[in-house]
């Protein structure tokens, strides 16, 4: 997205006032309205879609597979596999691999193994497939919110065979139609743009284009967690972030993390 | 306080269609009310006059010539797009509701430079192909009778560069439907002091004049291509004419702003006014309250577009008035608020009998 010089200086001037005037009039802690759809992909264990007001759209599907714990312990398989597809970017581009590695590590670290546990020898493995249909701003927040909804609404087949198969070898068998809801806490990631002395939540494309720098801050179980890192929101025009702004941004996330989680939990 | 508003997405399947019908509808129906009275069919011609959808039978009479947006099987003509039927003599075509902007000569549009080339700029105007702006079709610093020299060709980027927004008119069309633009009037030129927003071009109501002063010290350029520029009213704009900011005056202004006498004055002023100033990238100082007003106008226009209401200056002003019910600018992006603004604009028009 290219802006004209006059346009970007107008935006920058508006955003660096205190409080900042955002191009769509939002407050610094206000998100763009989202629309949600949940559980519409029949052949998956869980699915969700979020549409943003600017037309960005993201679909996440969760599929599961039974694997041996030994395979995971030996590192032959990941407990959670994330795959991201964004139109306009090659699968092997730095942008996509960054997104995948961020998501992969945060979900592997924070999704509890017990919740996926089946028997003493077997466990569920989750495949998180992310398809961003259209994106006009940095998609990580959108992806993490959608994944949150999908994982919170994931149903796994109910085990009917015995849980203890250490002594007697037994393949796990499942109930024909009953499912158990996956009960887990899922981390989410916030995107914040930094402009001069201001920091704004959930920047849109225009705000990203004029921002000095970007931050991602993650939230899990009512606490701020890593990764907390800077990201490049535009080509060129990147300035250093003042340390106090990082502290302020973390405080901002702390102040609204709970209400975002609450709002997402209410979505249907 | 609401920091994130979440609504349920549309259900897939039939319920969606019903929803669309009973929620207040696109503006097209409002405009077509007269034709629709009675039944859906024009009795003489046996042609549907309402909105058609892709694959819908338009007419089974082979006498009609098939224009854009139609296809035929045997004697029957079907619509290939969703839109309204237009008949010109014996030519039958369907005008799509959504789709890219189709330039026409004389359209006042807003465009963004995408490329600087040999003696010409390429301009994104939201059409299928980029438009062309020739070096010979712009006013250069130094007046109207100035010859374009080689040095002008070499410093084209200092006039207009990639990303710049400009306000221009379609001069002519090429064979392939792409447009050639010009900015040879003081009304046109580079845009400063404001914000840009995009709406579907089909929502723009064509009018005599597409550049208006609005209450609150704001001006708007409603490009026919759906690109809109909202800015602080330039200080010298029509100094003699009127920059009255009350609501009634805005309406008078709409009619009286562009007339022949006015234009002839501007040609004599051209020499002094077309200095380097017209290609400046520096914004004037803009106060905080003006910036807030610009944001409010921009959100009001987005609300109109969200409700699929045709955009004209009167409606922008009434949407702006309706938005005043929300002191908080951030509230204006919520679905319910946008819907209520749309409903209020339509109701207001009904009461006034428009």
């Amino acid at each position: 997205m290219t802006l004209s010089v006059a346009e970007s200086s107008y935006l920058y001037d508006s955003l660096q006032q205190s409080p900042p005037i955002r191009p769509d009039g939002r407050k610094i802690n206000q998100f763009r309205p989202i629309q949600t759809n949940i559980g519409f992909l029949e052949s998956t264990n869980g699915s969700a879609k979020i549409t943003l007001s600017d037309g960005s759209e993201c679909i996440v599907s969760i599929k599961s597979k039974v694997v041996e714990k030994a395979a995971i312990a030996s590192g032959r398989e990941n407990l959670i596999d994330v795959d991201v597809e964004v139109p306009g970017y090659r699968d092997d581009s730095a942008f996509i691999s960054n997104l995948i590695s961020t998501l992969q590590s945060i979900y592997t670290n924070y999704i509890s193994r017990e919740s996926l546990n089946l028997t003493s020898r077997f466990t569920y493995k989750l495949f998180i497939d992310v398809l961003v249909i259209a994106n006009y701003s940095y998609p990580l927040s959108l992806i993490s919110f959608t994944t949150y909804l999908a994982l919170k609404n994931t149903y796994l087949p109910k085990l009917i065979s015995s849980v203890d198969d250490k002594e007697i070898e037994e393949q796990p068998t499942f109930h024909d139609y009953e499912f158990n809801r996956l009960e887990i806490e899922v981390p989410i990631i916030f995107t914040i743009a930094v402009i001069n002395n201001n920091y704004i939540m959930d920047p849109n494309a225009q705000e990203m284009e004029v921002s000095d720098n970007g931050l991602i801050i993650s939230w899990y179980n009512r606490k701020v967690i890593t990764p907390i890192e800077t990201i490049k929101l535009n080509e060129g025009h990147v300035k250093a972030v003042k340390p106090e702004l990082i502290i302020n941004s973390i405080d901002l996330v702390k102040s609204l993390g709970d209400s975002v989680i609450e709002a997402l939990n209410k979505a249907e | 306080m609401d920091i994130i508003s979440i609504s349920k997405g549309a259900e897939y399947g039939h319920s969606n269609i019903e929803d669309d019908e009973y929620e207040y509808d696109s503006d097209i129906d409002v405009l077509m009310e007269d034709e629709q009275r009675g039944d859906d069919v024009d009795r003489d011609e046996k042609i549907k006059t309402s909105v058609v959808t892709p694959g819908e039978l338009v007419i089974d009479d082979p006498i009609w010539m098939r224009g854009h947006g139609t296809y035929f099987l045997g004697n029957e003509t079907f619509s290939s797009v969703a839109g309204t039927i237009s008949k010109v003599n014996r030519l039958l075509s369907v005008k799509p509701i959504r789709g890219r902007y189709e330039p026409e000569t004389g359209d006042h549009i807003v465009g963004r430079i995408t490329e600087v080339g040999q003696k010409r700029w390429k301009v994104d105007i939201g059409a299928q192909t980029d438009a062309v702006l020739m070096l010979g079709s712009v006013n250069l610093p130094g007046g109207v009778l100035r010859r374009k020299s080689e040095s002008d060709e070499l410093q084209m980027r200092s006039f207009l560069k990639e990303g710049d927004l400009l306000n221009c008119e379609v001069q002519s069309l090429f064979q392939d439907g792409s447009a050639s633009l010009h900015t040879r009037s003081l009304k046109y030129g580079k845009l400063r002091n404001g914000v840009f927003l995009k709406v579907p071009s089909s929502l723009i109501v064509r009018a005599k004049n597409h550049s208006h002063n609005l209450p609150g010290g704001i001006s708007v350029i409603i490009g026919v291509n759906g690109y809109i520029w909202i800015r602080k009213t330039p200080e010298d704009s029509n100094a003699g004419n009127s920059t009255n900011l009350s609501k009634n005056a805005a309406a008078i202004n709409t009619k009286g702003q562009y007339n022949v006498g006015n234009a002839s004055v501007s040609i004599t002023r051209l020499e002094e006014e077309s200095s380097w100033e017209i290609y400046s990238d520096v914004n004037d100082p803009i106060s905080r309250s003006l910036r807030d007003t610009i944001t409010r106008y921009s959100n009001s226009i987005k609300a109109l577009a969200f409700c699929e209401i045709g955009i004209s200056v009167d409606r922008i002003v009434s949407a702006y008035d309706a938005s005043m019910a929300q002191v908080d600018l951030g509230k204006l992006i919520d679905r319910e608020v946008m819907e209520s603004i749309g409903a209020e604009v339509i109701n207001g028009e009904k009461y006034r009998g428009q």
Side-chain angles (χ1 to χ4, degrees):
Chain A
M1 187 177 179
T2 30
L3 298 175
S4 75
V5 179
E7 220 180 351
S8 50
S9 82
Y10 177 90
L11 286 172
Y12 192 87
D13 287 347
S14 299
L15 286 167
Q16 69 169 355
Q17 305 205 358
S18 91
I21 306 169
R22 302 180 66 169
D24 48 6
R26 281 184 288 156
K27 296 202 185 61
I28 60 164
N29 61 355
Q30 194 183 353
F31 290 79
R32 286 168 285 178
I34 61 177
Q35 272 192 344
T36 58
N37 281 83
I38 290 171
F40 53 92
L41 293 176
E42 296 299 331
S43 56
T44 61
N45 293 94
S47 58
K49 182 180 89 163
I50 289 188
T51 314
L52 281 182
S53 54
D54 69 354
S56 302
E57 222 170 326
C58 175
I59 293 180
V60 170
S61 79
I62 311 289
K63 292 202 90 171
S64 63
K65 180 184 163 190
V66 176
V67 292
E68 280 185 60
K69 281 181 180 168
I72 297 212
S74 68
R76 266 180 290 135
E77 290 214 54
N78 299 321
L79 189 64
I80 288 164
D81 253 345
V82 181
D83 185 49
V84 178
E85 218 170 286
V86 182
Y89 292 94
R90 285 171 58 112
D91 283 353
D92 55 359
S93 63
F95 180 74
I96 298 286
S97 9
N98 273 340
L99 284 180
I100 292 179
S101 70
T102 309
L103 292 166
Q104 177 98 42
S105 70
I106 193 171
Y107 291 133
T108 314
N109 289 341
Y110 288 98
I111 290 179
S112 72
R113 274 149 204 267
E114 292 76 56
S115 60
L116 296 175
N117 191 41
L118 265 178
T119 66
S120 42
R121 279 181 51 230
F122 290 97
T123 177
Y124 277 121
K125 170 184 180 168
L126 291 184
F127 294 87
I128 303 177
D129 291 307
V130 179
L131 174 62
V132 178
I133 298 173
N135 82 306
Y136 301 96
S137 44
Y138 190 70
L140 192 57
S141 268
L142 175 64
I143 293 173
S144 87
F145 284 14
T146 319
T147 313
Y148 181 91
L149 289 178
L151 281 169
K152 278 288 191 184
N153 293 280
T154 293
Y155 292 85
L156 297 173
K158 190 179 176 189
L159 186 75
I160 47 172
S161 57
S162 126
V163 178
D164 183 24
D165 52 1
K166 219 175 230 164
E167 308 297 322
I168 315 135
E169 287 224 354
E170 187 186 11
Q171 292 290 326
T173 40
F174 296 97
H175 197 281
D176 282 342
Y177 48 84
E178 269 188 40
F179 289 87
N180 283 335
R181 191 180 179 141
L182 185 61
E183 297 290 346
I184 46 170
E185 285 300 312
V186 184
I188 54 176
I189 302 173
F190 294 99
T191 314
I192 291 171
V194 175
I195 292 139
N196 205 1
N197 285 319
N198 289 327
Y199 46 99
I200 48 174
M201 184 55 84
D202 189 27
N204 67 17
Q206 288 176 321
E207 290 165 337
M208 273 171 52
E209 196 56 41
V210 299
S211 65
D212 289 338
N213 216 323
L215 282 175
I216 56 171
I217 295 175
S218 320
W219 177 262
Y220 172 74
N221 212 1
R222 318 196 63 183
K223 279 195 284 290
V224 170
I225 54 162
T226 55
I228 300 173
E229 49 189 56
T230 60
I231 43 158
K232 203 167 100 180
L233 292 181
N234 55 30
E235 302 300 317
H237 179 111
V238 172
K239 289 187 197 152
V241 190
K242 292 178 187 138
E244 64 264 27
L245 283 179
I246 301 181
I247 310 279
N248 290 346
S249 307
I250 290 175
D251 286 341
L252 177 67
V253 169
K254 275 183 190 158
S255 70
L256 50 77
D258 279 338
S259 36
V260 170
I261 292 285
E262 199 183 318
L264 286 174
N265 285 342
K266 270 190 221 148
E268 41 183 89
Chain B
M1 182 196 52
D2 281 355
I3 49 158
I4 183 163
S5 91
I6 299 185
S7 53
K8 192 173 178 345
E11 290 290 343
Y12 300 102
H14 296 291
S15 60
N16 197 11
I17 296 162
E18 285 160 22
D19 270 3
D20 280 355
E21 261 167 11
Y22 87 87
E23 267 179 33
Y24 58 96
D25 226 343
S26 73
D27 176 53
I28 291 144
D29 281 336
V30 180
L31 292 175
M32 306 245 322
E33 231 163 45
D34 289 354
E35 292 170 50
Q36 271 187 12
R37 207 165 289 142
D39 51 1
D40 241 13
V41 177
D42 187 335
R43 248 175 242 123
D44 302 330
E45 306 285 5
K46 294 239 169 64
I47 287 192
K48 286 195 61 164
T49 49
S50 63
V51 174
V52 288
T53 51
E56 193 171 334
L57 179 66
V58 180
I59 194 163
D60 52 6
D61 191 348
I63 195 165
W64 291 89
M65 297 199 307
R66 284 91 179 196
H68 289 296
T70 62
Y71 65 94
F72 60 96
L73 294 170
N75 283 338
E76 298 173 320
T77 305
F78 298 90
S79 166
S80 59
V81 293
T84 50
I85 292 168
S86 94
K87 291 172 285 186
V88 180
N89 294 327
R90 289 278 147 196
L91 179 68
L92 184 74
S93 46
V94 180
K95 279 193 166 168
I97 293 175
R98 280 281 189 279
R100 287 190 170 267
Y101 163 67
E102 282 178 25
E104 283 172 39
T105 304
D107 282 352
H108 184 177
I109 58 177
V110 173
R112 194 190 285 279
I113 305 283
T114 55
E115 204 180 306
V116 183
Q118 277 281 321
K119 290 193 196 170
R120 75 195 64 205
W121 290 274
K122 286 278 173 65
V123 187
D124 165 33
I125 57 169
Q128 290 198 332
T129 48
D130 281 355
V132 172
L133 176 67
M134 297 295 293
L135 179 59
S137 325
V138 299
N139 285 326
L140 292 183
V144 69
L145 291 173
R146 180 171 166 292
R147 274 181 64 94
K148 264 102 201 168
S149 61
E150 247 173 55
S151 72
D152 287 328
E153 262 179 64
L154 292 173
Q155 54 171 343
M156 276 173 68
R157 252 199 198 85
S158 58
F159 306 129
L160 292 166
K161 57 192 160 303
E162 290 88 348
D164 280 354
L165 283 164
L166 73 157
N167 169 16
C168 51
E169 187 180 299
V170 178
Q171 183 165 41
S172 58
L173 296 179
F174 295 112
Q175 279 278 294
D176 62 350
S178 65
S180 167
L181 310 173
H182 80 93
T183 63
R184 278 209 166 274
S185 158
L186 284 178
K187 296 193 296 178
Y188 302 138
K190 205 177 213 177
L191 294 171
R192 297 189 298 142
N193 297 333
V195 294
F196 171 76
L197 81 149
K198 231 192 239 185
V199 298
S201 64
S202 53
L203 289 180
I204 304 293
V205 179
R206 280 167 191 270
K208 219 172 184 178
N209 193 0
H210 281 268
S211 142
H212 306 276
N213 293 339
L214 301 172
I218 305 296
S219 295
V220 65
I221 296 166
I222 312 168
V224 180
N225 57 343
Y227 289 14
I228 296 178
W229 183 254
I230 309 170
R231 62 175 171 185
K232 175 185 153 189
T233 305
E235 257 138 41
D236 57 344
S237 99
N238 316 303
N241 201 358
S242 80
T243 27
N244 214 324
L245 304 175
S246 77
K247 193 180 161 189
N248 295 336
I252 300 165
N253 220 349
T254 325
K255 293 183 192 106
Q257 198 175 45
Y258 179 56
N259 53 42
V260 182
N262 204 17
S264 59
V265 170
S266 42
I267 283 176
T268 55
R269 286 207 328 256
L270 189 59
E271 213 139 327
E272 42 207 271
E273 292 207 5
S274 58
S275 57
W276 276 99
E277 185 100 342
I278 57 174
Y279 290 111
S280 162
D281 277 330
V282 185
N283 288 328
D284 301 340
I286 303 171
S287 69
R288 194 183 163 91
S289 64
L290 269 181
R291 286 175 197 263
D292 278 337
T293 316
I294 289 178
T295 307
R296 187 175 284 276
Y297 270 114
S298 136
N299 281 353
S300 310
I301 295 173
K302 279 184 210 155
L304 287 176
F306 176 80
C307 300
E308 305 272 338
I309 296 171
I311 292 167
S312 65
V313 66
D314 297 340
R315 286 194 179 140
I316 292 177
V317 173
S318 51
Y320 176 77
D321 289 343
S323 81
M324 284 301 190
Q326 295 286 346
V327 183
D328 184 359
L329 280 172
K331 281 265 189 289
L332 294 178
I333 55 171
D334 280 354
R335 264 171 85 97
E336 291 83 31
V337 176
M338 291 201 287
E339 278 165 4
S340 77
I341 289 175
E344 203 161 313
V345 169
I346 292 292
N347 281 337
E349 283 185 9
K350 275 186 190 148
Y351 286 132
R352 286 198 301 274
Q354 282 169 344

